[in-house]
Structure formats: structure tokens, C-alpha cells
Amino acid sequence: MRHFATHFFLNAFACLCLLGNGNGEKASDHWAFQAVADPEPPRVRDQSWIRNGIDSFILAKLESKGIPTPDRAIKGILERRLSFALVGLPPSMLDPQDSFLEQIEALLASAHYGERWGRHWLDVVRYADSNGLDENAAHANAWRYRDYVVRSFNEDKPFNRFITEQVAGDLLPTEGNFSVRRNNLVATGFLAVGPKLLAEPDLVKLEMDMIDEQIDVLGRAFLGLTLGCARCHEHKFDPISTEEYYALAGIFKSTRTMESLKRPAKWVENLLANSEELKLSKKHQDLVEAQNAVVVAYRERANQELLASGKFSKFPKKPEAHYPEPTRKELENLEKTLKLFNESSPKLDFAMGVQEGNVTELPVFIGGDPDVRGEIQPRGFPALISIPEARASRIDGSGRLELAAWLTSSRNPLAARVIVNRVWRWHFGRGIVETTDNFGLLGGKPTHPELLDWLASRFIEDGWSIKALHRLILSSETWRMSSRPHSIALKKDPENRLLSRAPVRRLEAELIRDSLLHLSGELDLALGGSTWSYENRKLVFNHTSEDNTNYLTNRRSIYLPVIRNNVFDLFQLFDFPNPNSMCGDRTPTTTPQQALYLMNSPLVRQAALGFSEKGFGSDPKVRLHLLYNSAFHRDAEPDEIRQSLRFLESFSSKSEPSDKWHAFAQSLICSNEFLYLE
């Protein structure tokens, strides 16, 4: 008998579901399941600090604890913080003459904004360019989904529409607009890019594990709920039953994610060609078939001529060797033409995604075991969010379109709260709810619950606009506060949970790499497209563990391939998330290996060399100021100039001048001020 009590995608939160809950909270009373409120911002004593409602909620908590009003960060620090926050690059694109609000708008309008914020979302959807697990096959077309995400953020696509396209884009009406249809098909890559056990011999297990992974990602990404806990038993804490899990699983069972389940299984690739491209492909195929027929007919005629010549008593094994020279040459020309036609076939575009499958309603698999079946469950959604218009009796087809409507309904209290909390976390390093992927009873409680609902209400009022949410957050004094705390704040808010000062945050792995290339003048800012040539579904690692992946490109880090089980070494060292599972909250670490990488890696040394050449030929003091400005977005202090000159003078007279400047440039790169944002 097959047992499915656990599965290979069981995540940390799902494991916790087996442990028990000691707080005794009743699930129906849990804050996250209540309707989104729209509270009035509280009154505060220091009204001069207030720019918008965010400041009122933050300062009210600080004043209640006797913590002084925070100071504002200086202009240079704010500009560096802003540039990395919105486009993930040093602030060279900012016009220092613009006001801060004008700088916000300029960066939001930049095409590089979508790259920065698209990468955040790719963490959540466990994006990767290979399958990983048992068959680490290439996702050669996954980049189309990545580019779709970048475009969506640049266009400020309403987030409720963004959800709908990813869950059910193939089912949305397009009114004959092919570009919209193509976009929507690519969007369903959300459900397809997860890792799968392609060599799993038990086909039922393969499919149910895949469905469970889709449910897990959808639940945590959009609702902040660990729905997968109900696969084998009633959810221990959140009000989600096993029956509801299989009602939801029926929707994905009715969705075609796999083209074939036979080993090695193949995922679905949606054809993206329009009618004219299909016609061209058909005409070219007709040409290939016609030329092939000519080659076959010519060879048959030549063979018949051999027999008719009377030189052979039986047909020779290699007849071509006996053809007359003119015949051989003519056949070679015909075959060359056939080869040319084959090689010049129009390439049709495909994208990973899903399609409608056979409508299926699943029984409960008792204990997760498909051999022990309970009652069949009509396709539907968990009742913890009651939405009368989203009923099982109204579901057509797979039910994904209705699922998307349920997720984005104004009656659903979770979707807006979860994404608002994610954006807050990506700006401040910690969410208002610290457990960004779990809003259930085992998740953290919001530090500022009224602020979370106030932001969610504004977000919905603003048409689910992420850019409007940025404007609200970035224009607040809360976001602009200094990272240098008052002594009272350190004592009363040691972990900075009340936001008594700006958090100091290290740059993410991608930002470190992009900044290095930017400093050296080698960063390629081209947008989008495939940067990894690999045959689709071909094993990235073969049976000898051969790996042909390389990262030798100067494109931005979002365009580097993400190979499951073999993530780029810089990414691994600097806390890139495990692409086998979704992650809305990267965990920063500090390790000796990070320092060793910055001192010794060819990437860093090459970047430092290019960086050190800035201001070549200038007066040493001028050159030092230029390097400080480039690395830190500020002038060097007089004492820093004196120390830097002493460092340069300490080199042997036999050293090449370029060596000492190279070493100095690398010392700036290795400094905390370069690696961290204040």
C-alpha cells in the first residue's frame, strides 16, 4: 500500500502544524480572518512629524512607550536607500536637483523598477530555470514568465488582475487580441515552474505531489495560509478541513499541468504563435516535405538505373557509391537543400504554463493515501472565507477562474493584507506581520494591526496599485527616518519592532553583484530576453553530474539562470532563497565565507580593477573623492582622505601604481558602508 502521510514539499510551517498550539485561540476569532477594517489614523502629540497616516500609526506607538520622535536621515543616505529600494542600483540615475518626491516618480517610471520588484515576486513563486530534484531538466522557456513579471510591475498592473492572470490567464477573454492572449498564457507559468519528481514511477503520487505543491504555493503566496497541512488530516490550527483541501485539489486535478506522466514526465508548454506564424510554419513544413519527396524520388530513380544497367546481380549494400558522378552530385545538392530547409524552419514560441484538463472531482484520500478513499468532494474553496458568489454549483471547467475571483474578492480579507505586508517587508526588512507567508494561527501577530488594515484599505481604494503603495510608504517620515537610534529607543525597543529607527540592511546577493558591475562600468542594462542557451527539457546535470551552466554575462542578476541544486556561488553565499520552495522573507546571514569571497573571487577582483581606474590621472585627493562618491554616494571626510593617502603610500616603491589603487578600490567594496544600507 502506498502511504502519503508526508510529501517531499512539506515546508517548515507545515511541519509545525503537527506540533500543537499552546495559545488556545479560537480559529474563527483569529485577526487575519476578520474583514479588513479602515481605522482612522490616531492623534499624536508631535503633529509636525506626520506626513501621512503611516506616520500617525507608527508615532502613536512610539509615544505610548515614551520613545522620542525619530530623526530624519541625511539626503545622501536617503537617495542611496531610495535607489536601491526601487531599482536595485546605486543612485547614479537620480537628478540631485529633483525633490525627493520627484526622485520617487523618476525611479518608479524606470524600466529597471520592474527588474527590482519582479525579483521579489520571483522569490515568492519559487522561480527557476531548471526542474531540480530527480531530473534536473532545463526550463528553457521559463524566462518568458520572468519577463512577464517584470513587465507587470513596470506597467503597475493591478495586483488583483496579476493574481487572476497567474491562476487562470488561459481562461480570460481576450476579444481576439493575440498579444493579450499570449501574455495570459505566459502568466500561468506561476503554476508550472515548481520542481517535480519527473522520474517518479508512481504516477498517482507524482500528480498529487505536484497538485499539493501548487496548492501550497497558491495558499502561502496569496493568502498567507499553509493549506497543504490539510492533505493528510484536518488542519491542526487553521479552519481548513481535509474535505476542503480535496475540493481545492479537484480544481488542479482538472487542470492540465503535465503533457505526459510517463517517465521522465513532461510538463505542458503552451504554443504562443499567432495564426500567421502558424500558416508560415505549415507552408515551410510543406516545403520540407516536398523537398524530402524529391530526394526520395531521385534516389529511387538512381537505384532503378543501377539495376537496369545490368552490372549487378543483386542490389548493392551502398548503392550511392556506384552512382555516376553527375548523379551523386545532383543528389548531394538536393540533400543540401533539404538540410537548409530543415535548419531554416520558423521557430515557434512556447511557454511553460497550464491548460484546461478533464473535469474531475476527487475523493478525500484518507491519511493522504489514494488507496483509502472517502467521499467525493465537489470542487470548491475553504469556507473560512465565505463568499456567496463563489459556490461550487457555479464552477465551470476546472474552476481556476472562479478560484481567482474568490482570491481577489472584496470579501476576502487576506489577499490585500498579505501583499501589503510583503511590500512593507521588502521596504523595511520585516513585515508588520513577521511571518510573511503565514497569517494563520501559527503565524506572528501584527505589530501594528491597525496600520496593516489602513494600508490594505488604501491599497484596494487605489485599484490594487503597487506603485501607489510605494508612494504612500516612501513619502512617509517613517521610511525617511535615520538608522541612528536614540538611547531611549535602544532601551525600550531593542529589536526595533516598533520602528523607532530605520533598519540597517545588507544588500541582497543580486544587488551586490549588480553594484560591483555598475562600479566597474561593465553592467549591461539591456532589458529582458533569454540569456541562457539550453535545449528545453534537456538535463542540466547528466548521470555523471556534468554541469555546463555558466554565469559569464554582465547582464543584471535577475537574468542569470537559476539552476535548482546548483545556484550561482555568490547567490548561495549571500542568502539567495532555496528555489525549490516559495520564500517571501529571505533570512540574512553573516559568515566568514562571505568575507573570503569578497577578498578573493575573480568577479570582485575584476570589478575592483575597473572601479579603481575611475579618475585615472587626476590628483590623488580628487580621485579619492570620486571613488568615495561612486561607492558610498557621499564625499570623503578629511580624516578619510588622510588615512586613504597613508594606505596608498604604504605600498612598496616597487609596486605598480595601479596595484595600490586596485587594493584601495577593493577595500571600499569590502566595507560595510558599501554592503549595507542605512
Side-chain angles (χ1 to χ4, degrees):
M1 180 182 291
R2 294 165 297 189
H3 292 283
F4 293 78
T6 58
H7 54 93
F8 70 95
F9 283 119
L10 205 60
N11 56 71
F13 286 129
C15 289
L16 286 172
C17 288
L18 305 176
L19 300 180
N21 180 16
N23 61 22
E25 182 180 3
K26 188 177 177 182
S28 59
D29 295 334
H30 185 56
W31 67 268
F33 305 147
Q34 311 308 311
V36 174
D38 189 7
E40 284 291 324
R43 295 285 298 174
V44 296
R45 292 190 295 274
D46 188 358
Q47 284 292 319
S48 65
W49 195 74
I50 304 303
R51 286 184 170 269
N52 60 37
I54 293 173
D55 300 330
S56 296
F57 288 105
I58 295 297
L59 189 57
K61 276 279 180 88
L62 297 180
E63 288 183 345
S64 71
K65 300 293 184 181
I67 298 173
T69 303
D71 295 326
R72 181 188 285 190
I74 62 174
K75 184 175 185 289
I77 286 176
L78 284 178
E79 288 180 342
R80 188 167 186 264
R81 188 191 297 174
L82 178 68
S83 187
F84 277 110
L86 289 184
V87 297
L89 293 169
S92 59
M93 288 187 286
L94 291 179
D95 185 340
Q97 302 304 315
D98 284 347
S99 69
F100 191 70
L101 295 181
E102 288 172 333
Q103 290 177 336
I104 292 173
E105 292 304 321
L107 294 178
L108 287 175
S110 167
H112 302 303
Y113 159 79
E115 293 172 326
R116 169 61 165 150
W117 281 82
R119 181 58 256 181
H120 284 314
W121 187 248
L122 295 181
D123 283 6
V124 174
V125 301
R126 82 291 190 216
Y127 174 85
D129 294 285
S130 77
N131 179 68
L133 301 183
D134 54 357
E135 300 284 328
N136 201 4
H139 290 171
N141 292 317
W143 65 270
R144 298 187 194 280
Y145 174 76
R146 178 206 66 207
D147 282 5
Y148 156 80
V149 170
V150 172
R151 283 196 309 273
S152 296
F153 276 94
N154 276 333
E155 295 167 2
D156 197 22
K157 184 173 292 177
F159 193 76
N160 52 354
R161 173 72 185 193
F162 188 52
I163 292 175
T164 301
E165 289 177 357
Q166 291 175 91
V167 174
D170 56 314
L171 305 178
L172 292 172
T174 60
E175 299 178 354
N177 188 321
F178 175 74
S179 64
V180 172
R181 171 70 175 164
R182 181 183 173 109
N183 172 86
N184 293 350
L185 289 175
V186 172
T188 64
F190 163 76
L191 293 171
V193 297
K196 304 167 182 65
L197 284 172
L198 300 178
E200 170 60 60
D202 188 328
L203 302 188
V204 175
K205 181 179 188 302
L206 189 160
E207 187 171 26
M208 291 308 298
D209 281 346
M210 179 192 69
I211 288 171
D212 185 71
E213 195 269 346
Q214 291 172 324
I215 290 173
D216 175 69
V217 171
L218 178 135
R220 292 200 287 150
F222 299 131
L223 300 173
L225 292 179
T226 56
L227 300 176
C229 288
R231 179 181 182 179
C232 305
H233 49 74
E234 305 287 288
H235 200 296
K236 296 294 184 181
F237 309 107
D238 298 335
I240 303 164
S241 69
T242 307
E243 289 79 8
E244 289 172 326
Y245 174 91
Y246 284 96
L248 191 58
I251 292 174
F252 294 102
K253 173 68 174 173
S254 304
T255 299
R256 188 166 177 256
T257 305
M258 303 302 291
E259 178 183 307
S260 169
L261 294 177
K262 294 182 180 179
R263 289 187 292 173
K266 295 182 178 180
W267 57 83
V268 164
E269 298 267 353
N270 281 316
L271 178 62
L272 302 180
N274 61 29
S275 58
E276 296 305 318
E277 289 168 334
L278 289 173
K279 286 179 184 177
L280 176 60
S281 179
K282 178 62 170 60
K283 294 295 183 185
H284 190 90
Q285 188 58 37
D286 291 345
L287 181 63
V288 169
E289 291 174 2
Q291 183 64 18
N292 186 62
V294 169
V295 171
V296 171
Y298 191 84
R299 183 178 287 112
E300 289 175 348
R301 174 190 162 185
N303 291 342
Q304 192 60 42
E305 286 177 345
L306 281 182
L307 293 176
S309 69
K311 296 179 180 179
F312 303 95
S313 58
K314 62 178 182 179
F315 195 69
K317 289 184 178 180
K318 295 183 178 180
E320 292 89 347
H322 304 284
Y323 292 166
E325 183 66 21
T327 301
R328 283 202 303 271
K329 286 188 175 180
E330 181 61 22
L331 182 59
E332 286 177 6
N333 289 334
L334 292 174
E335 288 177 333
K336 282 181 181 178
T337 301
L338 177 60
K339 182 181 179 182
L340 179 64
F341 286 169
N342 274 314
E343 291 175 347
S344 62
S345 296
K347 293 190 182 301
L348 299 178
D349 291 341
F350 290 85
M352 298 180 73
V354 299
Q355 302 168 354
E356 284 290 82
N358 297 321
V359 174
T360 306
E361 304 207 316
L362 288 170
V364 171
F365 293 167
I366 298 173
D369 187 343
D371 288 335
V372 185
R373 302 192 171 200
E375 294 184 7
I376 290 178
Q377 300 301 314
R379 286 161 297 128
F381 326 115
L384 83 162
I385 302 169
S386 179
I387 302 174
E389 61 268 26
R391 294 174 180 164
S393 60
R394 301 183 184 184
I395 291 179
D396 296 319
S398 68
R400 283 182 291 116
L401 197 57
E402 293 80 0
L403 173 60
W406 178 79
L407 289 167
T408 60
S409 169
S410 59
R411 295 172 178 263
N412 188 328
L414 287 170
R417 279 190 182 124
V418 167
I419 186 57
V420 162
N421 188 64
R422 291 194 189 284
V423 173
W424 187 272
R425 182 262 176 262
W426 290 326
H427 274 303
F428 291 98
R430 178 189 286 146
I432 296 172
V433 179
E434 189 168 5
T435 53
T436 55
D437 303 328
N438 189 356
F439 274 40
L441 271 73
L442 284 182
K445 292 185 177 181
T447 55
H448 299 77
E450 296 83 5
L451 172 59
L452 180 63
D453 272 18
W454 186 83
L455 286 169
S457 294
R458 304 287 80 69
F459 181 63
I460 294 169
E461 283 179 6
D462 288 331
W464 297 68
S465 166
I466 297 291
K467 287 189 177 181
L469 182 58
H470 286 314
R471 293 185 183 98
L472 188 59
I473 292 173
L474 296 173
S475 63
S476 70
E477 279 297 324
T478 299
W479 191 86
R480 302 189 211 190
M481 66 174 65
S482 170
S483 62
R484 298 185 179 184
H486 193 283
S487 58
I488 297 176
L490 275 180
K491 182 178 180 180
K492 295 190 174 184
D493 184 27
E495 296 182 350
N496 201 25
R497 292 187 176 275
L498 300 181
L499 270 183
S500 55
R501 67 270 190 190
V504 176
R505 300 173 60 195
R506 197 190 62 214
L507 300 178
E508 293 107 304
E510 299 93 324
L511 274 57
I512 292 173
R513 177 183 173 276
D514 292 352
S515 295
L516 289 171
L517 293 173
H518 183 273
L519 281 179
S520 67
E522 296 177 349
L523 183 62
D524 181 353
L525 290 173
L527 300 171
S530 175
T531 59
W532 185 51
S533 299
Y534 218 86
E535 182 181 338
N536 197 34
R537 298 193 175 99
K538 182 179 179 181
L539 295 186
V540 179
F541 297 99
N542 64 17
H543 66 283
T544 63
S545 297
E546 179 184 353
D547 175 25
N548 294 316
T549 312
N550 74 72
Y551 303 95
L552 301 178
T553 176
N554 288 343
R555 296 286 302 280
R556 287 199 71 178
S557 294
I558 190 174
Y559 301 118
L560 292 183
V562 178
I563 306 303
R564 289 188 171 116
N565 306 340
N566 190 41
V567 173
F568 180 37
D569 54 2
L570 183 151
F571 287 5
Q572 291 186 65
L573 286 170
F574 289 92
D575 310 317
F576 190 83
N578 179 356
N580 285 316
S581 60
M582 65 89 66
C583 173
D585 187 23
R586 293 192 188 188
T587 303
T589 63
T590 303
T591 67
Q593 290 86 349
Q594 293 167 353
L596 290 171
Y597 184 91
L598 292 170
M599 288 190 289
N600 299 307
S601 82
L603 170 65
V604 175
R605 292 189 62 79
Q606 182 62 32
L609 181 61
F611 175 41
S612 69
E613 294 172 353
K614 287 193 174 185
F616 178 75
S618 304
D619 175 88
K621 290 184 179 180
V622 173
R623 192 173 180 184
L624 286 171
H625 277 294
L626 181 59
L627 292 174
Y628 266 83
N629 262 301
S630 298
F632 306 143
H633 194 58
R634 66 171 178 83
D635 291 331
E637 299 290 338
D639 189 52
E640 290 173 323
I641 293 292
R642 287 192 294 271
Q643 291 183 41
S644 299
L645 289 173
R646 281 200 298 270
F647 172 83
L648 294 169
E649 291 165 358
S650 68
F651 278 74
S652 167
S653 58
K654 296 179 181 180
S655 301
E656 292 291 331
S658 59
D659 291 341
K660 60 185 181 182
W661 285 99
H662 185 191
F664 178 76
Q666 190 166 356
S667 71
L668 295 184
I669 287 172
C670 292
S671 69
N672 281 346
E673 190 170 358
F674 175 74
L675 295 170
Y676 284 79
L677 294 173
E678 293 185 65

